[in-house]
Amino acid sequence: MQEKIDNAKVGIVGLGGIGSWVTYSLALAGVTSFTLVDSDVISLSNLSRQSLYNITQIGKKKVIAAQDFLSTLNPKIKCSIKKVNISNVTSCRKLVRNLDLVINCADYPDVDTTNRIVSYACYPLNLGGRLLCYPEK
């Protein structure tokens, strides 16, 4: 089982309150290949609930700060970072096509929209049965 975890390619869409904890937990479990998708920057209000960031990173893109943190946690972790919002099915499908698991943690523009986009992008790629949605409301 650990070998499957070690070899899994995991996409995290949204690196906010839930996405940062999910990413951190998966890295601790042994996942070493991530695609991180978020366009937001770190603000002071994020620090009380988002585990991947600290005060020295305010103003920095979340995907870059997350990649930096994960590389200090485990130098074997490789991240593909995408500084974008999920806006449509076609662009999302391009981001997730080579992944084993996609976890939607995005809440922009809203949870229902991101869930629909990610689900429609993943289902034709046979990720439908492995799609998890953790919306922030």
Side-chain angles (χ1 to χ4, degrees):
M1 180 56 117
Q2 189 63 44
E3 187 177 330
K4 284 186 178 184
I5 292 171
D6 292 343
N7 295 323
K9 296 175 192 158
V10 178
I12 309 292
V13 180
L15 294 170
I18 295 173
S20 63
W21 285 101
V22 168
T23 304
Y24 183 53
S25 298
L26 289 171
L28 291 177
V31 174
T32 59
S33 180
F34 289 95
T35 295
L36 305 174
V37 181
D38 199 304
S39 68
D40 202 7
V41 297
I42 300 162
S43 65
L44 182 61
S45 65
N46 299 147
L47 301 181
S48 63
R49 64 191 195 292
Q50 297 180 15
S51 60
L52 300 177
Y53 319 119
N54 65 59
I55 198 161
T56 66
Q57 297 168 314
I58 291 174
K60 193 172 188 177
K61 289 278 190 185
K62 288 182 179 181
V63 290
I64 294 171
Q67 180 181 38
D68 292 346
F69 176 83
L70 293 172
S71 70
T72 62
L73 188 65
N74 179 351
K76 293 181 181 179
I77 292 177
K78 303 295 180 217
C79 296
S80 171
I81 58 172
K82 310 297 181 186
K83 299 177 243 182
V84 297
N85 282 322
I86 296 299
S87 58
N88 63 64
V89 173
T90 304
S91 63
C92 183
R93 190 170 293 144
K94 290 177 185 174
L95 296 174
V96 303
R97 94 176 93 205
N98 296 317
L99 302 176
D100 299 310
L101 174 68
V102 177
I103 304 173
N104 179 31
C105 303
D107 61 355
Y108 182 85
D110 62 77
V111 173
D112 292 333
T113 300
T114 61
N115 280 342
R116 187 173 47 258
I117 291 169
V118 174
S119 293
Y120 285 140
C122 292
Y123 186 75
L125 301 172
N126 294 321
L127 291 173
R130 295 176 281 176
L131 172 66
L132 303 176
C133 297
Y134 293 99
E136 294 181 7
K137 276 196 173 180

